[in-house]
Amino acid sequence: MEMKDIVSLASIIIAGLTIAIGSIGPALGEGRALAQALSSIAQQPDEASTITRTLFVGLAMIESVAIYCFVISVILIFANPFWNHVVSQAGK
């Protein structure tokens, strides 16, 4: 097995793990935030607009973690920074 094949295999596995683990945390966080917001709105209906606005800001921040993981996995698959290292090592 060549070094390029090993880097390809490792990149695909790491990209898959990045998406898998990187989406579980935000999904759990978003579910918990939504449950707490609904509970808060049920207890204080007059503050629903403030709670909703804060919820959406929080959800956007939580979702950014999943987007960062997606970007990292796309970079590992399509624009892998390790390819140049493998090619330069093969030439030596």
Side-chain angles (χ1 to χ4, degrees):
M1 190 173 223
E2 290 184 28
M3 186 67 164
K4 188 174 182 179
D5 295 335
I6 293 172
V7 170
S8 299
L9 182 63
S11 297
I12 292 169
I13 291 171
I14 296 299
L17 287 173
T18 301
I19 285 293
I21 295 171
S23 62
I24 290 172
L28 294 174
E30 286 178 0
R32 186 176 173 120
L34 183 61
Q36 287 291 66
L38 290 175
S39 175
S40 298
I41 290 172
Q43 292 175 1
Q44 298 177 348
D46 296 337
E47 298 295 324
S49 63
T50 304
I51 293 169
T52 303
R53 183 175 51 240
T54 305
L55 171 69
F56 285 137
V57 171
L59 289 177
M61 290 182 176
I62 293 170
E63 190 65 32
S64 68
V65 173
I67 293 169
Y68 291 144
C69 290
F70 175 71
V71 169
I72 289 171
S73 67
V74 168
I75 288 171
L76 283 174
I77 292 175
F78 296 110
N80 196 330
F82 300 111
W83 289 123
N84 294 333
H85 180 69
V86 171
V87 171
S88 67
Q89 291 296 325
K92 289 184 180 180

